[in-house]
Amino acid sequence: GFSQQLIKASCAQEATWPLSCPRPGSARPLPPGDPLSPSFQCREYEGGVLVGDLCEDLCVAGKLLYQRCLYYERGKKVLQADWRGRPIILKSKEEAFSSFQPLGLLEDAADEGGQGVPEAELLLLVAGEVKNALGLELSGGSLGPLWPGRRGPRWRGQLASLWSLLQQEEFVLFSLLQDLSRHALPVLGSCGHFYAVEYLAAGSPRHKTLFPLDGAAGAPRGGQGQAKAVSDMALSFLDMVSHFEDDFSHRLHLCDVKPENFAIRSDFTVVAIDVDMAFFEPKMREILEQNCTGDEDCNFFDCFSKCDLRVNKCGAERVNSNLQVGAAPLGWGHRVLQERGALCSWGPGHPFHATWAPCAQRVWGQREAVSSAPWGCRPNDPTGVFCMQQPADPIAGLPVSS
């Protein structure tokens, strides 16, 4: 309807047209500070079709205010909003609630408002969606963050809204990592198919430090303070890599590593803010194992495999790592670790040792030399190593000065 056209025009205009020069024939965009209710399906909320803990503030209280459109393409929409004085991000991979596949059980139980859906059957459906989205087989006890809550008069809307959210891989991943990872955004709430996460300023290659430092606690002043901030961010990035490698039952692969997909908190903690292309090991293997005629057919964005020409099949195992693909595009090879010389002090007892050891061994092929020298340092040479992705060789490593 017209309300949907308003926000669509706003997004399209902000993405490709100056605000002072609207696209000919387009609807008036929503100005910052307007209530978001005209752009969402609040009639469906009032009718019980969709629900969510943000719907009241969005559709009734007017406490969720539109600020600007950050991204809009092929249905996916990312909006910045103000929620009770707090900046947040609202996201959905589809513009309209009706664009999502409906839950078949609700069609079968139309006369009962969904109340007749057995809990055991619903658990199986939720677990099936999680497996489809992330490749993980989870027990009912692990699905708490995705459970729709207590049955009530809006139960049918609760199930329909949950089902639209479960079809969005990023929502599922953020929800499951909610209390498990300081490097992932928590889900703050939802309304229908839109979910909210905290607003953090994304990185950009235009920033000398990759991330804006203005909002950081005790914003650094001068070259020395800035160098320490960059060093702290680099160490947090390595902590994130180690965390995603080792702290879950399956490794979490990042297949789209660029500054725009990360942000920092005020304490310089690096946070993954866009995980549409993040996959746990079972899903990663499923994606990589495709037919091929050469290695180039086995590259899935930043995640690489190798082609077995005997059977013309890509290997299911990834041959590069999060650390390798993060080094070059995030620019933290030379300009970060030089600030602290941290590499050469990370011995076997250091939490990053397991992350770096395979890289060092790959570069020199000398397990003994790497483990006996000051860690990460070449024997008789104060040079550290930072594994970096190279176009010709996805597992190449380059020594860099520390």
Side-chain angles (χ1 to χ4, degrees):
F2 180 68
S3 62
Q4 289 289 333
Q5 293 172 18
L6 276 179
I7 194 64
K8 186 170 183 177
S10 175
C11 283
Q13 180 177 320
E14 289 202 32
T16 59
W17 289 75
L19 286 175
S20 58
C21 183
R23 185 190 301 268
S26 66
R28 179 187 66 83
L30 291 176
D34 263 20
L36 266 170
S37 53
S39 63
F40 281 75
Q41 298 164 331
C42 288
R43 289 183 182 177
E44 283 84 348
Y45 167 63
E46 293 165 2
V49 175
L50 59 83
V51 299
D53 46 10
L54 295 181
C55 289
E56 188 75 12
D57 281 352
L58 178 67
C59 298
V60 180
K63 295 180 179 179
L64 196 46
L65 303 176
Y66 171 77
Q67 296 297 316
R68 60 181 175 140
C69 180
L70 299 178
Y71 182 88
Y72 179 59
E73 185 177 351
R74 289 179 293 184
K76 181 179 178 180
K77 187 178 293 181
V78 182
L79 306 175
Q80 183 180 339
D82 180 274
W83 179 42
R84 297 173 177 247
R86 176 184 184 180
I88 64 168
I89 297 294
L90 288 165
K91 308 180 85 173
S92 176
K93 68 185 281 187
E94 298 289 349
E95 181 178 5
F97 185 71
S98 58
S99 297
F100 291 92
Q101 188 73 24
L103 179 58
L105 282 179
L106 291 181
E107 305 298 321
D108 300 336
D111 298 334
E112 304 172 4
Q115 296 288 348
V117 178
E119 186 166 307
E121 192 168 352
L122 185 58
L123 271 172
L124 286 175
L125 286 170
V126 172
E129 280 300 298
V130 171
K131 184 177 181 181
N132 181 58
L134 304 182
L136 300 180
E137 296 190 15
L138 300 181
S139 63
S142 303
L143 298 174
L146 298 171
W147 195 245
R150 299 173 62 181
R151 296 181 187 235
R154 288 179 173 262
W155 181 243
R156 181 182 179 86
Q158 285 177 256
L159 292 184
S161 299
L162 172 66
W163 201 245
S164 71
L165 292 169
L166 287 175
Q167 294 173 58
Q168 303 182 63
E169 294 84 351
E170 184 176 75
F171 169 82
V172 176
L173 182 55
F174 278 152
S175 296
L176 292 177
L177 295 181
Q178 184 98 349
D179 298 317
L180 301 176
S181 178
R182 61 193 171 279
H183 295 291
L185 290 173
V187 176
L188 303 177
S190 63
C191 181
H193 57 304
F194 275 84
Y195 59 97
V197 294
E198 65 179 312
Y199 171 79
L200 295 172
S204 169
R206 295 190 300 272
H207 290 297
K208 182 180 178 183
T209 56
L210 287 183
F211 300 103
L213 301 179
D214 298 345
R221 297 181 180 276
Q224 191 170 8
Q226 183 171 291
K228 184 182 184 306
V230 174
S231 177
D232 288 345
M233 289 188 290
L235 292 174
S236 180
F237 171 76
L238 294 175
D239 180 69
M240 181 184 69
V241 169
S242 178
H243 172 58
F244 288 166
E245 291 272 334
D246 303 325
D247 292 350
F248 306 122
S249 56
H250 297 286
R251 182 177 301 167
L252 182 62
H253 296 274
L254 303 177
C255 294
D256 188 13
V257 179
K258 56 188 178 184
E260 296 86 345
N261 289 345
F262 298 89
I264 57 165
R265 300 191 192 279
S266 60
D267 62 355
F268 303 116
T269 297
V270 175
V271 180
I273 61 173
D274 189 331
V275 294
D276 281 339
M277 301 296 289
F279 307 98
F280 283 107
E281 182 74 20
K283 189 73 172 182
M284 185 80 266
R285 297 178 72 88
E286 178 185 320
I287 291 171
L288 289 176
E289 203 169 21
Q290 304 294 329
N291 294 330
C292 62
T293 57
D295 287 346
E296 64 278 1
D297 296 330
C298 303
N299 296 345
F300 182 77
F301 293 87
D302 290 331
C303 294
F304 300 160
S305 177
K306 295 186 78 65
C307 183
D308 185 345
L309 294 176
R310 295 170 298 179
V311 293
N312 293 112
K313 198 85 169 176
C314 296
E317 186 173 349
R318 183 183 176 188
V319 298
N320 63 346
S321 69
N322 291 339
L323 181 61
Q324 288 171 278
V325 299
L330 295 183
W332 283 341
H334 288 75
R335 80 170 145 182
V336 172
L337 295 177
Q338 285 178 344
E339 306 291 354
R340 240 186 193 175
L343 223 55
C344 294
S345 64
W346 294 343
H350 194 281
F352 294 153
H353 176 78
T355 304
W356 284 98
C359 287
Q361 290 159 15
R362 224 180 246 131
V363 173
W364 298 313
Q366 299 177 30
R367 183 181 299 269
E368 298 76 12
V370 169
S371 59
S372 63
W375 199 83
C377 297
R378 203 169 184 173
N380 305 316
D381 184 351
T383 304
V385 58
F386 195 98
C387 283
M388 300 180 72
Q389 174 187 346
Q390 296 297 301
D393 182 359
I395 59 172
L398 293 179
V400 301
S401 172
S402 64

